[in-house]
Amino acid sequence: MQRRTVTTGLFMEQQYNGKKKIMEARLASARSKQQEYGLSPRQLGEIAEYQTLFQAYRWGYTTSKIIQTLLSRTSGGYLDKLTEKGLLVKTPTQSGYPRYFYSLSPDGLAKVQARQDELLNYSEINPHRVNQSILNHNLICQEVTLLAFKAQQISHYQTERQFFVEGLPKVPDCIWDVWEDERIGVEIELTQKWGIDLHKFMLGIWETLENVDNPLALKRFIIFSSSPAILKNYKSAISPGKFLPKYAKDERGRWTIVKQLEVPEWLSSRVDFKLIERV
């Protein structure tokens, strides 16, 4: 019993010291930001709150880990605080990973919209209508974009709801603006496309880049995947000299091949393939 008491006491002391170090780190970070920007703790808190709400607004929803990266915080719990304030709604995921996603409540939406010049259609106000079959896809797009932005690899970005246009052969999942005034279409591919789906996907990228008057002014595409095999297959599909079939619907409404197009040499140099890095 005595040994157990000593062990328990040591464990509690270690826990206390660990929490103390975390609090000290948070205070040091806050003081550093105060000195750097000349802002009060209240002002810094308002900025963090708005950044979080705006992240959920432009993407539809977010996660605790993503917001930790956004705000450069080392521990979670902040989104739960905003949920308790009535600004966010916490919803369990069907997959269990992540455990929850956070969307805007009516009060949170009103708070963000009050500071916008142009409004976005925010359909996630009812989180139970969120299509969770594409939840992981959208969160990965959010993560790789945030990592690129934090690393200053891009200067600005737009989510699909901020730029969606009809009639473009390939509408990307996200658009990145890089420092050299170049716009990049970002695609997240988690499962392999085959046959007509792969052909139409790659041909859509080709036709979008080929059109110098495309309304999104895209100059390049990046295809992200967690699978090296997917990246290898997609890269092979647009190797110079290969052929991509072009499809059209016949009188019965079935897709048929109408011509074979030889892949130009310039295409492979304007499409990059990258493995996914997660926050």
Side-chain angles (χ1 to χ4, degrees):
M1 291 295 293
Q2 185 176 4
R3 182 180 299 174
R4 183 177 179 182
T5 303
V6 170
T7 303
T8 303
L10 181 61
F11 174 72
M12 292 180 68
E13 183 179 353
Q14 289 173 339
Q15 274 197 320
Y16 171 78
N17 289 335
K19 290 180 179 178
K20 184 178 178 182
K21 288 181 180 179
I22 291 174
M23 291 300 297
E24 289 174 347
R26 287 180 181 173
L27 288 171
S29 176
R31 293 191 189 102
S32 175
K33 289 180 179 179
Q34 282 180 255
Q35 293 175 355
E36 184 177 357
Y37 301 111
L39 301 174
S40 69
R42 180 177 178 179
Q43 290 173 317
L44 290 172
E46 290 174 349
I47 291 172
E49 181 180 280
Y50 176 74
Q51 287 179 324
T52 301
L53 297 180
F54 186 62
Q55 182 77 6
Y57 179 61
R58 73 198 306 197
W59 288 99
Y61 40 77
T62 192
T63 67
S64 179
K65 187 174 288 188
I66 289 173
I67 296 304
Q68 282 178 244
T69 302
L70 174 69
L71 303 180
S72 301
R73 298 192 175 195
T74 57
S75 60
Y78 182 63
L79 295 191
D80 288 331
K81 292 179 181 178
L82 296 188
T83 300
E84 291 172 2
K85 287 181 66 174
L87 298 176
L88 294 176
V89 177
K90 181 179 182 180
T91 305
T93 64
Q94 295 170 355
S95 66
Y97 183 81
R99 292 184 63 189
Y100 304 97
F101 70 90
Y102 296 79
S103 54
L104 295 176
S105 69
D107 286 346
L109 179 60
K111 197 161 190 175
V112 173
Q113 287 183 333
R115 298 179 61 173
Q116 307 305 312
D117 294 326
E118 296 183 6
L119 300 181
L120 305 176
N121 179 20
Y122 191 77
S123 60
E124 293 82 2
I125 196 68
N126 182 349
H128 299 293
R129 292 185 178 179
V130 169
N131 182 3
Q132 292 208 29
S133 66
I134 59 171
L135 185 74
N136 189 45
H137 170 280
N138 293 347
L139 289 175
I140 288 175
C141 190
Q142 190 174 160
E143 289 177 16
V144 297
T145 298
L146 180 59
L147 288 174
F149 184 73
K150 294 279 286 186
Q152 297 186 348
Q153 295 171 352
I154 59 176
S155 57
H156 182 259
Y157 64 88
Q158 289 179 296
T159 66
E160 188 172 352
R161 70 186 62 208
Q162 293 177 291
F163 64 79
F164 182 76
V165 293
E166 294 183 355
L168 201 65
K170 187 72 195 77
V171 177
D173 296 322
C174 182
I175 290 177
W176 291 358
D177 290 323
V178 297
W179 299 100
E180 294 81 10
D181 298 324
E182 186 176 55
R183 305 200 86 198
I184 300 174
V186 176
E187 285 289 332
I188 307 296
E189 289 292 297
L190 303 181
T191 56
Q192 171 78 44
K193 287 181 171 66
W194 300 99
I196 184 173
D197 293 326
L198 176 60
H199 300 153
K200 290 173 68 176
F201 177 82
M202 300 310 301
L203 189 58
I205 290 177
W206 174 0
E207 291 177 341
T208 298
L209 292 177
E210 189 176 45
N211 180 9
V212 294
D213 296 321
N214 77 75
L216 298 180
L218 299 176
K219 302 298 182 185
R220 303 179 62 83
F221 267 84
I222 298 178
I223 299 175
F224 284 93
S225 180
S226 55
S227 167
I230 290 177
L231 296 179
K232 179 182 177 181
N233 292 340
Y234 282 33
K235 188 173 184 178
S236 175
I238 57 168
S239 298
K242 283 203 170 182
F243 287 84
L244 281 176
K246 187 174 181 63
Y247 296 83
K249 286 188 177 182
D250 61 18
E251 63 277 3
R252 296 183 180 180
R254 298 177 301 185
W255 289 105
T256 58
I257 298 174
V258 294
K259 65 172 69 173
Q260 294 280 353
L261 302 174
E262 185 175 1
V263 176
E265 290 189 9
W266 61 263
L267 182 58
S268 61
S269 66
R270 292 174 62 183
V271 182
D272 296 318
F273 301 86
K274 293 191 177 182
L275 279 171
I276 291 169
E277 294 181 22
R278 305 210 55 179
V279 300

